[in-house]
Amino acid sequence: MSWAEVKAKQAENIAKLYEKNPDDWFLKSQMNRPEEERTGFAPYDGKCYYCDKAICEGEEAITVDSLGDYIITNCPYCHRSYCN
């Protein structure tokens, strides 16, 4: 699974959440960006801000399937929140 695929799913999920919650400040700010920049709380390059691991690689990786209809809020390795 590549970061590009997960990032595209993340952008799709943000758009769906925005449709349901158009007054949410965070989702509104994301929708004001180009689709390829809608990463939500996740690191833009797919590497954790804290442990520097690629969040879409390895045993604990975030995949399109594991992401589901949610958005990325923390690292699957060090479990630090990106929402701070």
Side-chain angles (χ1 to χ4, degrees), residues 65-84:
D65 291 334
S66 69
L67 183 56
D69 293 331
Y70 299 98
I71 60 172
I72 298 166
T73 58
N74 63 297
C75 176
Y77 294 100
C78 70
H79 307 287
R80 297 273 308 263
S81 174
Y82 299 139
C83 303
N84 299 336

Side-chain angles (χ1 to χ4, degrees), residues 13-32:
N13 290 352
I14 288 169
K16 286 179 184 176
L17 288 169
Y18 177 72
E19 285 177 21
K20 294 177 185 175
N21 306 289
D23 294 327
D24 182 282
W25 69 270
F26 176 72
L27 298 172
K28 191 179 289 189
S29 72
Q30 290 291 301
M31 293 305 291
N32 287 330

Side-chain angles (χ1 to χ4, degrees), residues 6 22 35-36 39 44 52 55 57 60 65 68 70-72:
V6 172
E35 187 173 344
E36 65 275 2
T39 59
Y44 185 74
D52 203 38
I55 63 174
E57 296 176 9
E60 302 295 320
D65 291 334
Y70 299 98
I71 60 172
I72 298 166

